[in-house]
Amino acid sequence: MEHTTKGLLASDVRVVCSGRDLSKSFGSTNVLDNFNIDIEEGKFTLINGESGSGKTTLLMLLSGLDVPTSGTIVSAGEVVTGMGKDDLAIWRRRVGFVMQKPNLLPNFSALENLCLVHGLAGNSIEVRRAREILGSLNIKDQSKPVATLSGGEQQRVAIARAAVKNPDVIFADEPTASLDSATKSLVSAALARVVDELNISVVVVSHDELVKRDAHRIVTLASGMITDDVHKESGTEPSGRVIVLDEPQVVKRLV
Amino acid sequence: MPTQQSILTPPVYDQITTGIISVESLLRDLAPFVTAALILLFIISKLAARHHVRLRSALDLAAKPYRYDPSDLRRGRESHASVIVQNQEAMFMNQSFVDGKKLDWLIRLAAKKGIAISKFQTSFMNLEDSHGHDNSALVIAVQGNTEGAPKSPPDCTQPLLVTVDQAANTATGERIKLNGVEAVVEAIDHNNSSMNRIGVLMSQDALACITGIGDLPPYGAVFSPRYSDRVRDLMLQVDLSGQAVIVDANQLTQMNDSFWAKNAAAIFLIAKILTALGLGLGAIGLKQSQLHQYHSEISSMMADGNNANAIAAVESFRALSESLRGAVLGTVPAVLLPVFFNMAVIGLDVETGLRNITLATMFMAIANGMAGYLGSLKVLKDMTPAEAMR
């Protein structure tokens, strides 16, 4: 396996999401300019960087929530750029989202939050699967209104909601930002568990040091450019340089 | 690459739909509240029934005194009297269209045939008890002189004797004031107050002393029911049969009740429409404001690839569930408020009833559900899934 440029992966690596020559401007401000990135399938990819570095903009483009000024995005097996509103809505069913706030339906239980929306949308979710995912993310009170759960539990329910539809990739934007240290650790581990046990790719935007511990790959942005792209070996800390792995390592994490 | 092995392999045997589990869970959540509310409702209805005071007109009193005799009144409600009242559906507490001159003529004719007929008058007054508390009163004065002949001026130097309904909380012998004129409570009667007016019985002489008017227009007249046929004939002779009818005490009560029911029906209808409009608009307004709070949740559902109809269905379901929960909480004040109202308004008997609670719950649920559905569609028009990230 070889690397050509920061952000890109070798041709033999299975990619779940790619951006090519991406540019995004807001008025006269260019946030991203000819940006290229590949996201490896079945891995936990962390995108970090200072505020204003363009990491959230990149996540929104890759997840189809925003449209690039120019460039191409291929995500979950389809060319996202140029899709119409309806096609995008259908495509989004193949990706999951975890936001900074859990954005759950507070009066409904964890189980209902997983099943109700998808059920009403006509995409029936098996209750047993929903229960198992919630269980694996340590949500014990699955029948109580989620408003009664702690912040960390609610965020893990949000992760379960994203994972239950078995998406190709989950995009998470600062999922630990409003949590305390102990809870951050649990939420980050829950995301890692989704990767390891469900084999769902996860792309997280965060400045959180705790999330770095769980990520397989850390992409660092500054002023819309990739300044660092670190692939971690099991048990090693990021070295600040590109590490080429011959065999992917699965790091088991405990919640 | 790791293989597609997962500890969470989707099972093939679990076919329970999410809808069933949602409804089941909702019912399970609501069950204790509904049970508690029903038990409370049952207890309150039993208590209310025990303390139920039948809505009856103070006019019903007119059926009691064949001749004004407080000792008779003290024995309780009499039903031996027939009453002549106006032949109109619209009956007012203190006004009548029965012709006083024709009634006097009838009384004179009847007296010649040995039949005693007593006129009675009604009047609204202010009752001040010995503690200075004010009440509205409906005075019913029955003529002692059954012949209807001109009589000598009343002796207003003697204490005026009156019978007062127990709702006024006065005692026998207590000195009260009616329109500022002192009177003595001679007897206490029961259940003769209506629409927050204390029933007060007195002689026509006493009424004349208070009003200063010797001969107020009559409201009606009473006589013994055994003369009903003969009095009916006499009414034809004096040309009263067109404008007056003979009724018994129960019919009088029914006429009065139907008057209030008919007149109040329009008021209640308007009140119901206004309440329904208020509740409906309130529900829609509340839902709109909630939907603005739900922006991030709605945008998250959009980001998850749900179309507008699915999100609207979720919001509708959520509104429905909130309505049901709200209805359970609202049942207690809905039942208690009329009880308090009945306690405050003498002679009134209003109850919420299960039927009304059910209707109100259904109305609120439908209004809220529709507001949730249509409101979320409106919100979705101006929203992008990217807002979930913000």
Side-chain angles (χ1 to χ4, degrees):
Chain A
M1 187 164 148
E2 57 173 332
H3 269 275
T4 52
T5 316
K6 282 177 184 173
L8 298 183
L9 297 172
S11 56
D12 59 337
V13 175
R14 286 177 67 93
V15 171
V16 71
C17 182
S18 292
R20 289 288 181 276
D21 305 320
L22 292 178
S23 295
K24 180 66 182 176
S25 305
F26 296 99
S28 57
T29 309
N30 291 332
V31 179
L32 298 174
D33 191 17
N34 284 319
F35 191 94
N36 293 288
I37 191 164
D38 290 329
I39 304 293
E40 190 176 351
E41 189 178 284
K43 289 297 174 75
F44 187 144
T45 302
L46 170 65
I47 300 171
N48 72 0
E50 297 296 316
S51 293
S53 61
K55 56 187 189 301
T56 296
T57 301
L58 175 63
L59 191 79
M60 289 174 79
L61 294 179
L62 294 175
S63 61
L65 292 180
D66 205 353
V67 181
T69 310
S70 64
T72 306
I73 293 161
V74 178
S75 191
E78 296 203 45
V79 179
V80 180
T81 34
M83 268 189 186
K85 200 175 169 185
D86 292 341
D87 288 339
L88 263 178
I90 293 166
W91 170 81
R92 279 198 208 98
R93 291 174 194 168
R94 295 175 54 192
V95 299
F97 293 90
V98 179
M99 317 299 176
Q100 186 173 333
K101 287 188 292 178
N103 293 342
L104 301 167
L105 303 173
N107 290 333
F108 292 94
S109 69
L111 197 59
E112 286 160 349
N113 265 278
L114 263 64
C115 299
L116 180 67
V117 180
H118 297 299
L120 287 171
N123 308 319
S124 183
I125 299 291
E126 285 176 1
V127 175
R128 188 181 176 84
R129 175 173 165 76
R131 282 192 192 280
E132 282 181 346
I133 290 180
L134 285 167
S136 77
L137 298 183
N138 237 7
I139 304 298
K140 292 188 178 105
D141 291 325
Q142 298 179 4
S143 300
K144 281 168 66 177
V146 290
T148 63
L149 302 180
S150 69
E153 284 175 315
Q154 288 188 29
Q155 195 61 292
R156 277 181 281 147
V157 173
I159 293 169
R161 181 181 60 182
V164 75
K165 59 182 181 176
N166 203 23
D168 294 348
V169 56
I170 291 175
F171 296 100
D173 182 41
E174 302 280 7
T176 58
S178 51
L179 303 173
D180 60 66
S181 298
T183 315
K184 280 173 199 245
S185 185
L186 287 172
V187 169
S188 178
L191 284 165
R193 197 156 193 171
V194 165
V195 177
D196 292 345
E197 297 180 356
L198 300 177
N199 198 31
I200 296 170
S201 313
V202 169
V203 181
V204 178
V205 160
S206 175
H207 337 69
D208 216 313
E209 290 297 319
L210 281 164
V211 182
K212 283 184 181 173
R213 185 197 65 188
D214 294 304
H216 296 134
R217 178 187 178 198
I218 301 164
V219 178
T220 305
L221 267 63
S223 304
M225 308 276 284
I226 295 178
T227 56
D228 213 353
D229 186 357
V230 179
H231 293 248
K232 282 165 61 183
E233 278 186 287
S234 177
T236 65
E237 289 300 311
S239 63
R241 60 188 174 80
V242 175
I243 300 169
V244 180
L245 299 174
D246 292 332
E247 292 291 331
Q249 301 286 322
V250 177
V251 181
K252 292 291 178 191
R253 296 160 183 88
L254 296 174
V255 176
Chain B
M1 287 304 299
T3 56
Q4 284 276 357
Q5 270 191 328
S6 166
I7 59 163
L8 305 173
T9 306
V12 292
Y13 50 86
D14 193 340
Q15 296 299 321
I16 303 168
T17 65
T18 56
I20 289 171
I21 199 125
S22 300
V23 173
E24 181 196 73
S25 168
L26 185 67
L27 289 176
R28 191 178 56 242
D29 289 350
L30 287 178
F33 295 104
V34 172
T35 310
L38 286 176
I39 291 169
L40 196 62
L41 199 66
F42 178 76
I43 294 168
I44 288 168
S45 65
K46 285 291 173 195
L47 287 173
R50 188 177 293 175
H51 295 97
H52 174 76
V53 177
R54 185 173 63 85
L55 172 62
R56 52 175 293 189
S57 162
L59 293 177
D60 192 19
L61 278 172
K64 288 185 176 179
Y66 170 49
R67 292 184 186 214
Y68 177 66
D69 183 351
S71 63
D72 277 348
L73 293 174
R74 276 195 291 274
R75 287 200 294 269
R77 184 167 184 265
E78 303 291 337
S79 60
H80 61 269
S82 284
V83 191
I84 298 171
V85 286
Q86 63 178 5
N87 185 19
Q88 301 283 335
E89 287 188 346
M91 295 177 67
F92 297 95
M93 275 182 166
N94 66 339
Q95 283 184 344
S96 170
F97 302 111
V98 175
D99 189 318
K101 284 182 181 171
K102 287 180 180 176
L103 200 56
D104 283 342
W105 183 13
L106 176 74
I107 290 169
R108 282 196 299 274
L109 273 178
K112 284 176 187 169
K113 294 178 185 299
I115 302 167
I117 300 177
S118 298
K119 281 197 292 187
F120 69 91
Q121 285 124 359
T122 56
S123 177
F124 287 151
M125 287 190 187
N126 180 66
L127 186 158
E128 184 188 330
D129 66 16
S130 59
H131 307 291
H133 299 140
D134 285 325
N135 271 306
S136 293
L138 174 65
V139 170
I140 295 174
V142 183
Q143 192 178 38
N145 177 359
T146 58
E147 293 176 9
K151 48 192 172 107
S152 53
D155 180 7
C156 298
T157 58
Q158 297 299 313
L160 306 177
L161 301 177
V162 294
T163 299
V164 180
D165 190 87
Q166 65 164 5
N169 283 327
T170 54
T172 308
E174 184 174 332
R175 290 185 176 274
I176 62 169
K177 283 183 180 172
L178 288 160
N179 279 4
V181 176
E182 199 168 270
V184 176
V185 178
E186 189 188 27
I188 303 295
D189 202 358
H190 304 277
N191 298 339
N192 288 326
S193 296
S194 180
M195 303 304 288
N196 246 13
R197 291 189 184 275
I198 308 290
V200 177
L201 287 163
M202 63 177 65
S203 70
Q204 267 189 347
D205 283 352
L207 181 65
C209 289
I210 295 171
T211 60
I213 302 168
D215 199 12
L216 279 170
Y219 189 92
V222 290
F223 62 95
S224 172
R226 60 193 156 129
Y227 302 122
S228 286
D229 290 339
R230 292 169 69 184
V231 170
R232 199 168 282 112
D233 291 340
L234 291 173
M235 282 170 70
L236 275 171
Q237 283 185 43
V238 300
D239 197 23
L240 252 179
S241 56
Q243 61 175 268
V245 288
I246 298 173
V247 295
D248 62 22
N250 289 333
Q251 287 169 324
L252 180 65
T253 305
Q254 279 174 11
M255 284 174 78
N256 191 252
D257 283 352
S258 66
F259 160 72
W260 284 109
K262 279 180 184 171
N263 284 273
I267 298 166
F268 283 137
L269 182 65
I270 292 167
K272 280 176 186 172
I273 292 168
L274 288 175
T275 308
L277 280 173
L279 287 173
L281 291 173
I284 291 164
L286 188 67
K287 184 46 65 186
Q288 287 292 353
S289 119
Q290 279 179 339
L291 285 170
H292 283 289
Q293 292 171 16
Y294 295 162
H295 259 207
S296 54
E297 292 160 25
I298 292 172
S299 52
S300 276
M301 286 190 270
M302 278 181 98
D304 257 347
N306 295 292
N307 60 26
N309 279 334
I311 294 168
V314 169
E315 287 308 321
S316 183
F317 191 80
R318 168 148 69 169
L320 211 62
S321 141
E322 283 163 359
S323 285
L324 288 174
R325 284 167 212 254
V328 171
L329 293 175
T331 299
V332 176
V335 171
L336 287 181
L337 276 176
V339 174
F340 292 135
F341 192 60
N342 289 344
M343 286 164 68
V345 181
I346 297 162
L348 200 66
D349 182 25
V350 185
E351 60 176 317
T352 310
L354 267 177
R355 180 174 163 269
N356 289 341
I357 290 174
T358 310
L359 282 173
T361 303
M362 282 172 64
F363 178 82
M364 283 300 290
I366 292 168
N368 224 357
M370 282 180 67
Y373 192 90
L374 298 173
S376 56
L377 286 179
K378 186 166 171 273
V379 168
L380 282 163
K381 271 176 67 180
D382 311 319
M383 186 181 256
T384 63
E387 286 180 43
M389 293 282 195
R390 296 184 182 128

